[in-house]
Every structure is written in structure tokens, then in C-alpha cells.
Amino acid sequence: MSMGVDGGHRDTQADPHADAPAAAPRRATISDVAREAGTGKTSISRYLNGELSVLSPDLRARIEAAIERLDYRPNQMARGLKRGRNRLLGLLLADLANPYSVEVLQGVESACHALGYMPLICHAANEVDMERRYLQLLTTYRVEGVIVNALGVRESMLKPVGSGGIPAVLVDRTVDGLDADVVGLDNAAAVRLGVEHLLERGYDDLVFVVQPFEHVSSRREREAAFRHATQDAQHAKTVAHATQVLDLREEDAVAPALDALDAHLAQAAKRGARCALFAANAPVALRLALHLKARFGAQWPQHVGLIAIDDPEWAELAGITTIRQPTREIGYRAVEFLHERIEGAAPAARAAAFPGELVVRASTLG
Amino acid sequence: MSMGVDGGHRDTQADPHADAPAAAPRRATISDVAREAGTGKTSISRYLNGELSVLSPDLRARIEAAIERLDYRPNQMARGLKRGRNRLLGLLLADLANPYSVEVLQGVESACHALGYMPLICHAANEVDMERRYLQLLTTYRVEGVIVNALGVRESMLKPVGSGGIPAVLVDRTVDGLDADVVGLDNAAAVRLGVEHLLERGYDDLVFVVQPFEHVSSRREREAAFRHATQDAQHAKTVAHATQVLDLREEDAVAPALDALDAHLAQAAKRGARCALFAANAPVALRLALHLKARFGAQWPQHVGLIAIDDPEWAELAGITTIRQPTREIGYRAVEFLHERIEGAAPAARAAAFPGELVVRASTLG
DNA sequence: CTGTTAGCGCCTTCAA
DNA sequence: TTGAAGGCGCTAACAG
């Protein structure tokens, strides 16, 4: 159950009779430093915490020297235990293989540096079960707050801060029934941007392709926005639209979905319609591009349009039009929100929705 | 200097006069559980550590209930402080934007789960300075060992385990003067595999493209292996070869390097030679592919061959031949090595070199 | 089988 | 300006 199964660990203690070079010289503690500097632990502690003004220059110099000589590093664990805060932030990521996550992570890290936190990164690899375990583990390490970008985290795994839970902020997706800060893309605007671009380019049969979206708010929002944008009064009569679910986690379900898509494309072609696919995110886009290439050859963009939310590094190489998210900002803001709550501010749950940016490439030349 | 700048943090303590719902109900401690269960802390501790056999069924049930009722989670920090081991492993990664790192990470995680460790992931974003800071930080959190895949870590930042340093294992690259375990690709064999493939396909002018390699052992090894493979007796007279450095961190240096490459390609064409580029890793390959596409259009593989070490997800889409590394195994093995050392084994430094696998695609059709 | 005691390394009153 | 003492949450001898 618990991750730390440590039964059966022989506590290999240094053999006093071994002629090895100074068997495992324990790291120096604050007491060692105090002794070395000829003073009490209190002064060392003061020094460590920057209360330099209350230390005589002499003592201060001795302490400095002692620390240097012993290569002393204060033990964060002990510090944390004592003061009740360890400067650890949990970051739960559903899928690090998705470039989006890595970019958000970069923003998170940079904010952590600025604010003095150490991010504890947990990668759930798209497994709901892992998410639960990691959340427990983070709790166990007493992180001061968590940033969550998960697939199946439930409200019950993450009690709202009011009821004794850890401060939490959600990235990209909400959790049903959980009243926490959320930061992510302005999905409605981003999708609208994409749809308008496709219409401008003359596509009149749009298919939104998305992973199962019932349980992921951002997917839900994007799908809904797609329907609204295409049903919009000014287009309603001229634009065909449909949604195709593509479950990338079920390899067996992918082929049928792609077949359905092919059928749709064939029909559209017969009608003389110009068809374009709107991928809800990068993983979907990759899968679609691979399929289209296999089916139509390298010239596939002449047959079908393709646009995607997310702008992975390979989009440029593949010539795919995208809607880029300000991922780093998203990560940065998440930490800022979290920091405020950790510091005690308790405003109502906030939501930060960042705008996406259209990057036009060859896949939507029309 | 230190990351944990925490001066100026108002310790916002709960206002006892606020009518808020039960101001921040502190997490239950072992004492709380003991009281709730009507027993002493020791029994609780025993329960937590799986010494169930020495507890009367009755006590055991009461403890179980108390824990449940209080939603108690043992504090890992306190545990670690006491027993001197916190089950934390540091993982220092030079660049998470490189898919290689993410894949290695997955192997690391899966091994950590199996062995009961919690990986503390640090992302240095290709900054040597970050690497140093993170290494210090890890030290400060008393991780039991570190897995290092860094750019500029020096021996001085990572004292060998014998002299009081933390157990360390290196991934993909060694550190000068540091006698630690290393796990990575069998570079010589992988490069040979690639060169032979290119020769078979009829290329007779090979250019190895690599980031600055003086300080990164794997790049050095690959470059050397390339020279050896091409100078090999049986090819020496028929194959032209060269090495081109491409420093991706210096945007200003990229264009000149690509120009040089272009010149080389032009000359080769004039001589009627069949030219192929051998990218030392995925980031280089991406950059090259982008350039070739811009220069020769989508049909670039008809002009130049391209092969790369690493097999990122976009390689399939771009149709680039690669030599795939068993990245997950690499990460897994790294943890295993580290675990053994943490457990006290002190064998001589080992090296695990895994074989690469050739994945042929359209970029080397000849 | 169960509880008491003494710290792990550090911070924090409190008194000198 | 300095130091001694107590305790954060937990484990590990010792007793009973």
C-alpha cells in the first residue's frame, strides 16, 4: 500500500574494524558547528536565519569559518519539522510525455526559484491510480501546496483548503466539486480563433477530434466551444460540423475512430466539401497527422486541413497550424496563486484564463 | 544564494476570533492517534511499521479505527529525521524538453515505485548554474542518492561516495574525475550501426553533426566512434567524412554552422557524391530537419540522407531514420545501481552500456 | 504484548 | 549579544 516498503533493509552499519578511509563521515549537524566555533547552537541557528545583526563580528567570523571547514548544510527536513513549513510544493502532472506539461513545468520551476520553493514533481503517466498514490505521498511529505494537472483526481482526494486540505491550484482542468483556483487557456476564445481561421481559409466541413471529454473540463470546454462557434448564426447554414472522439489510451479504439474519420472525409469529398480536422491537443494532432500521412501521403494537407491546440516543437517541422498556449505563464501563475494561499490569503477561488495565439502553417492553406 | 529565502514571510496565524469553520485543523500526529486509540505512541509506531504480529487484535483494531477517524498520515519528514533515511532520490536532469530525458525519467519512476523511493526531480534547463544549485539543494534535503544527467557538473560538486559524498550514478555521460556508476547507450556500437546503414544505402559522404562535445562524454564518444567507423579499413578509401559542430544554445552560432553544412552539401553534389547527415541526438536532428526542409522543400530526403540517435515521437511523422535507445531500461538500471550502493554495497564503479536499435525510415532511402 | 524514555537536527522562547 | 532548555513528530531501545 504505502510506497515506502522498507522491510528487509539490512542496515549496513560501518564496520569499526575496517581499515576503510573514515567510514561514512556523517554530515555535520548544527551541534558540530557550534562546538567547532566554540559557541552554542542558538547562535548558529541565528546565523543561518540571517539574524546577522545580533551577532558580534567575531562570533560571526568564527561561525562562518566553522561552517566552511565542516562543509555544513542545514538539514531542511529538521528545519521543516520544527517550523512547520518545508518549502516543498507538490506538482502532479498527468503526462510528462506531453510537451504541454513540460512547458508548464518550466514556468512552475521558474516561479518556485523566485519564491523560494522546491517543486516536488510527480508524474502519473496517465494512470488515475498513480495520481491517487502520489497525492497521498505528497501529503505524507507535508508539501505546503499542490499544483494539479490530472486525469482522474476527485474532489475526495483533495479536500478543499477550508476543510483541512492542502492549498491546491488546478492547471488546465477543474475537478468536479472542488472549489480551487484554476489556471489555463481561454478555451472558448482559442477554439473560436481556430474555427474562424478555418472558415477564412474556405473549409466548410469541420471535425473536432478530442480524447474522451466527459471527465476533463478543458476538453469539455473546447468541444462545447467548437459546437458553439460552428453553430454560430453567421455560419450555421454553411458549415458542417461534427465531433469525433479518439481515445489514445485504448489502442484498440483508435483504429475504428480513424476509420470513421476516413468515412467522413470520403463523404465530404464526394459532396465537394472542404474538410478540416481540429485537434483538441497535441497528442491527438500527432496521431491524426500520422494517419493522414499514411493515408494520403506527404501531400495530405491538399486533401484535409488540420489545426491543433498546443504548439509542440515538431509542429513547425510537420507544417501544422496550431494555437499556442502561453504555457510558461500558466505554470508561473499557478505558483503565484498557490503562494498567496500558502501565505494565508483566502480569497474566493479564482480562475486565470490565458489567450491562445494562432500560428499559421501549411496544414491550413485551404 | 540559498533558494529558501524566507525573510519577510508573515506567519499568518489563524485568528481565534474569526468565525471561520474550525481554523485550519492541524493534521493529526502520532500522539493524537495514540490518545484517540487509548494507548501509547509506540504501539502506533509499531502498527505503522508493519509489526502487526506483536499487537493484540483488539489494540490493532482500535488503532486502525483511530487512524481512520483522524485521517492520520505519518509525517515522512519526522520519520526520516529519526531513522536517518527518507527514501528520497534526487534526479538531476539537464533538459526535460529533450524527450530522451522524459523517457529515462519514466524508467526511473517505475524503479522507484518498485524499490520504495520517491524521486525528487530537478530540471536544470541546460543551465550549469542551476545544476550546481540543485545539487546543493538535494544535499540539503538529505536525499539518499542522486541520479545525474547534467551538462556541467564537476567532480567537485559531487564528491565520490567514499569521501563523504552522496551515492551517485551518472546517466548518459560521465563526469571527469568522478568514479561513479554510469549507465547509458553503447555509443560505439550505436554509431557503427548507423554508419553501416548509411553505407549500405549508398551514401559515401557522411557528416556527423553534434553539439559542442568537449565536455559531454557521450557526445565525445559518438564523435570518436563516427571517425573510427568511417576510417575503418574497408571504407577508408571510398567514404568521405567530416564532423560539424552545432551549438544549439548559441542561436547566433547556428546559422553559420548550417551555412557551412550547406556549402559541404553543394560541393558533394558537384562531385556527384551521395551525402548523409548523422545527428548525434534528437535536438540536433530536429534542427537539421527544419533546415533541410526550408532549403530543399518537403522532398529533402531526395537530396540528403539523415539519421539520428534518439527516437522522439515526431521521428515517425517526419520519416527520419533513427537509432532508438532503450531509455526506460536505462533509467530503471540507474535506480537499481543506486539502490545497491545505498544499501551499502560498495563495488567498483560499474558501467552499463545498452545497445541501440536501428529504426529505418524514409530519410535514408539512399 | 505494551508503555516509558531518550533523542534525530533544528528553532524558539526565555533568561542571563 | 549570547546560551540553555524544550519540543516539532517519530522511532528505538529498554523495561514492565
Side-chain angles (χ1 to χ4, degrees):
Chain A
M1 190 91 317
S2 88
M3 309 197 65
V5 179
D6 51 16
H9 284 164
R10 295 148 284 130
D11 263 26
T12 314
Q13 51 211 80
D15 176 358
H17 297 297
D19 51 7
R26 236 185 54 278
R27 275 212 92 78
T29 76
I30 201 174
S31 303
D32 298 329
V33 179
R35 200 178 324 111
E36 180 82 10
T39 176
K41 305 193 295 180
T42 313
S43 297
I44 312 297
S45 177
R46 294 216 174 90
Y47 177 89
L48 295 176
N49 291 296
E51 300 173 38
L52 303 172
S53 52
V54 310
L55 294 175
S56 69
D58 171 51
L59 216 204
R60 188 165 150 183
R62 272 153 51 211
I63 293 179
E64 216 147 324
I67 287 181
E68 173 68 22
R69 224 170 308 139
L70 269 42
D71 187 30
Y72 169 71
R73 313 277 172 80
N75 182 330
Q76 283 299 339
M77 299 301 172
R79 282 187 152 193
L81 184 57
K82 184 66 209 172
R83 352 167 101 161
R85 61 184 317 180
N86 53 198
R87 314 264 67 191
L88 251 28
L89 285 193
L91 177 59
L92 181 59
L93 259 14
D95 182 18
L96 264 176
N98 186 339
Y100 170 82
S101 303
V102 175
E103 290 172 22
V104 167
L105 167 64
Q106 293 176 4
V108 167
E109 286 175 324
S110 112
C112 280
H113 293 338
L115 266 29
Y117 290 101
M118 169 82 173
L120 239 174
I121 303 165
C122 301
H123 173 213
N126 282 324
E127 305 223 16
V128 175
D129 207 57
M130 281 276 109
E131 294 179 352
R132 202 174 31 69
R133 288 179 43 166
Y134 268 128
L135 237 27
Q136 289 201 171
L137 206 60
L138 288 174
T139 272
T140 257
Y141 278 102
R142 297 295 189 268
V143 296
E144 299 185 30
V146 287
I147 293 174
V148 175
N149 167 252
L151 208 55
V153 165
R154 304 295 163 70
E155 180 268 342
S156 62
M157 310 181 196
L158 206 56
K159 300 215 192 80
V161 102
S163 352
I166 332 170
V169 8
L170 274 17
V171 166
D172 184 71
R173 33 191 94 164
T174 57
V175 167
D176 284 350
L178 182 65
D179 189 41
D181 295 336
V182 194
V183 18
L185 179 69
D186 181 339
N187 291 303
V191 170
R192 210 179 311 122
L193 193 63
V195 167
E196 271 159 18
H197 170 71
L198 292 176
L199 296 179
E200 261 171 31
R201 289 302 169 95
Y203 296 100
D204 55 8
D205 185 331
L206 313 186
V207 182
F208 193 74
V209 188
V210 56
Q211 287 170 281
F213 54 88
E214 309 81 46
H215 300 309
V216 178
S217 69
S218 55
R219 294 178 191 161
R220 247 177 3 233
E221 287 174 23
R222 290 173 194 179
E223 200 273 337
F226 174 78
R227 277 186 284 111
H228 292 154
T230 48
Q231 286 166 354
D232 207 320
Q234 59 185 122
H235 314 306
K237 295 151 203 145
T238 56
V239 180
H241 63 273
T243 289
Q244 172 65 53
V245 171
L246 186 64
D247 189 347
L248 298 177
R249 295 199 305 163
E250 293 292 334
E251 198 47 50
D252 291 347
V254 170
L258 293 176
D259 285 347
L261 225 35
D262 285 342
H264 185 101
L265 294 178
Q267 280 205 345
K270 204 176 300 175
R271 287 202 321 275
R274 301 279 307 145
C275 196
L277 270 26
F278 195 137
N281 65 10
V284 167
L286 179 61
R287 197 62 192 240
L288 288 179
L290 280 170
H291 177 69
L292 295 176
K293 186 185 167 202
R295 185 162 181 78
F296 299 109
Q299 305 305 314
W300 60 263
Q302 296 180 358
H303 296 78
V304 216
L306 178 60
I307 188 173
I309 289 183
D310 283 348
D311 186 53
E313 57 177 2
W314 49 262
E316 175 71 24
L317 181 59
I320 295 174
T321 295
T322 65
I323 294 161
R324 178 184 294 157
Q325 303 192 46
T327 43
R328 261 157 279 240
E329 278 93 328
I330 289 174
Y332 204 100
R333 177 64 59 82
V335 176
E336 288 179 332
F337 275 179
L338 198 49
H339 179 63
E340 290 172 25
R341 297 209 109 91
I342 290 174
E343 288 302 294
R350 293 158 294 183
F354 289 84
E357 175 196 355
L358 182 69
V359 183
V360 180
R361 301 202 180 88
S363 71
T364 53
L365 292 185
Chain B
M1 191 92 317
S2 90
M3 309 195 63
V5 179
D6 51 17
H9 284 164
R10 296 148 284 132
D11 263 24
T12 316
Q13 50 212 82
D15 176 359
H17 297 295
D19 51 7
R26 234 185 55 279
R27 273 213 93 80
T29 76
I30 202 175
S31 303
D32 298 331
V33 179
R35 198 178 323 112
E36 180 81 9
T39 177
K41 305 193 294 181
T42 312
S43 297
I44 312 297
S45 177
R46 293 216 175 91
Y47 177 88
L48 295 177
N49 291 296
E51 300 174 39
L52 304 171
S53 53
V54 306
L55 295 174
S56 69
D58 171 52
L59 217 205
R60 188 166 151 184
R62 271 151 53 210
I63 293 180
E64 216 148 322
I67 287 181
E68 173 67 23
R69 225 170 307 140
L70 269 42
D71 187 30
Y72 168 72
R73 311 279 174 81
N75 182 330
Q76 283 298 340
M77 299 302 173
R79 282 186 151 190
L81 185 58
K82 181 67 208 176
R83 6 164 92 161
R85 60 183 318 179
N86 54 200
R87 314 266 67 191
L88 251 27
L89 285 194
L91 178 58
L92 181 59
L93 260 12
D95 181 19
L96 264 176
N98 186 339
Y100 170 83
S101 303
V102 175
E103 290 172 21
V104 168
L105 167 64
Q106 293 176 4
V108 167
E109 286 174 323
S110 109
C112 281
H113 292 340
L115 266 28
Y117 290 101
M118 169 82 173
L120 240 173
I121 304 164
C122 302
H123 173 214
N126 282 323
E127 306 224 15
V128 175
D129 207 58
M130 280 276 110
E131 295 179 352
R132 203 174 32 67
R133 288 178 42 168
Y134 267 128
L135 237 26
Q136 290 200 170
L137 207 60
L138 288 174
T139 270
T140 257
Y141 277 102
R142 296 296 188 272
V143 295
E144 297 184 33
V146 288
I147 293 173
V148 176
N149 167 249
L151 209 53
V153 165
R154 304 295 163 70
E155 180 268 341
S156 62
M157 309 180 196
L158 206 55
K159 299 215 192 78
V161 112
S163 353
I166 331 169
V169 8
L170 275 17
V171 166
D172 184 70
R173 31 190 97 163
T174 58
V175 167
D176 284 351
L178 182 65
D179 190 42
D181 295 336
V182 194
V183 17
L185 180 68
D186 181 339
N187 291 302
V191 169
R192 210 179 312 124
L193 194 62
V195 168
E196 271 159 20
H197 170 71
L198 292 176
L199 296 179
E200 260 171 33
R201 289 302 169 95
Y203 297 100
D204 54 9
D205 184 329
L206 313 186
V207 182
F208 193 75
V209 188
V210 57
Q211 288 171 281
F213 54 86
E214 308 82 46
H215 300 309
V216 178
S217 69
S218 55
R219 294 179 192 160
R220 246 174 9 229
E221 288 174 22
R222 289 173 194 180
E223 200 274 336
F226 174 77
R227 277 186 285 110
H228 292 154
T230 49
Q231 287 166 354
D232 206 320
Q234 58 185 121
H235 313 307
K237 294 149 203 146
T238 55
V239 180
H241 62 273
T243 290
Q244 172 65 54
V245 171
L246 186 66
D247 190 346
L248 298 176
R249 296 199 306 162
E250 293 291 335
E251 197 47 48
D252 292 347
V254 171
L258 293 177
D259 286 346
L261 226 35
D262 285 342
H264 185 101
L265 294 179
Q267 279 205 345
K270 206 176 299 173
R271 287 201 323 274
R274 301 279 308 144
C275 196
L277 271 27
F278 195 137
N281 65 10
V284 167
L286 180 61
R287 198 60 191 240
L288 289 179
L290 280 169
H291 178 69
L292 295 176
K293 186 186 167 201
R295 185 162 181 79
F296 300 109
Q299 305 304 314
W300 61 264
Q302 295 178 359
H303 297 77
V304 217
L306 178 60
I307 188 174
I309 288 184
D310 283 348
D311 186 53
E313 59 177 1
W314 48 261
E316 175 71 25
L317 180 59
I320 294 173
T321 295
T322 64
I323 294 162
R324 178 185 295 158
Q325 301 192 47
T327 43
R328 260 156 279 238
E329 279 93 328
I330 289 174
Y332 204 101
R333 176 64 59 82
V335 176
E336 289 178 332
F337 274 179
L338 198 49
H339 179 62
E340 290 172 24
R341 296 210 110 89
I342 290 174
E343 289 302 295
R350 294 157 292 183
F354 289 84
E357 175 196 354
L358 182 69
V359 182
V360 180
R361 301 201 180 88
S363 71
T364 54
L365 291 185

